[in-house]
Amino acid sequence: MKTTVIAVTSAIAVAILMLAGGRIIRSREGPGLDLRAYDYRDTQRIVNLTARAAALVEKEGAKAFAAFRENADEWTLGDHSYLYVYGRDGVNLFHGGYPSFVNRNLIDFTDPLGRKVMRLIIDQLDRHREANPHGWVHYLWVP
């Protein structure tokens, strides 16, 4: 199963890592991400959180979701920064902020600016890895 691990901060910026056939597709830096590429401490924290989460999902599979739930303080960055995981089909597999989203297909979720968020994320992962190796996608989140 292909899965997307995503961390969100202030519901605006998203860091993405893709699991493909049980292997994480990482940037050239590999598991020891060089966070000096990011100017802002919050961005560095998001990238680090996402990389740690992706490594746990790679190792434990769906069992990692229980660890995310049971140790929420370790897997969030304040009240508005949390992990969520989607399959490439748009079905939510884990959501740290909105557990009611689990098992819902949000492939056509549209932000207030008309952007199809999940489709943007999948497109980024499929076609734009060279230009944006860490997979950042920006959108508005209004629950």
Side-chain angles (χ1 to χ4, degrees):
M1 176 191 329
K2 296 182 180 181
T3 307
T4 303
V5 178
I6 306 168
V8 65
T9 183
S10 302
I12 296 173
V14 180
I16 304 160
L17 292 172
M18 185 56 115
L19 297 170
R23 291 188 34 192
I24 295 176
I25 300 171
R26 292 190 175 121
S27 65
R28 291 188 185 98
E29 290 87 0
L33 293 174
D34 183 0
L35 300 177
R36 294 174 297 171
Y38 300 102
D39 293 333
Y40 300 102
R41 183 181 64 222
D42 288 343
T43 306
Q44 293 172 354
R45 291 174 63 213
I46 293 165
V47 172
N48 186 49
L49 175 70
T50 305
R52 289 189 312 111
L56 186 61
V57 171
E58 181 179 34
K59 179 181 176 189
E60 302 289 332
K63 292 178 185 176
F65 305 157
F68 299 156
R69 277 189 297 279
E70 294 165 8
N71 303 300
D73 289 344
E74 181 181 344
W75 297 104
T76 58
L77 299 173
D79 293 337
H80 302 291
S81 301
Y82 45 80
L83 295 171
Y84 52 93
V85 182
Y86 285 87
R88 290 182 60 92
D89 59 358
V91 174
N92 183 275
L93 304 173
F94 171 81
H95 207 295
Y98 294 88
S100 63
F101 285 4
V102 174
N103 294 321
R104 286 182 52 191
N105 190 321
L106 299 174
I107 193 73
D108 288 319
F109 171 78
T110 305
D111 79 359
L113 299 176
R115 293 179 285 210
K116 302 273 187 196
V117 175
M118 290 309 301
R119 292 188 185 278
L120 283 172
I121 292 169
I122 292 167
D123 180 65
Q124 163 60 43
L125 293 167
D126 287 345
R127 302 183 337 150
H128 303 287
R129 298 292 300 168
E130 290 300 316
N132 186 4
H134 292 138
W136 286 97
V137 173
H138 298 272
Y139 64 90
L140 293 177
W141 174 253
V142 180

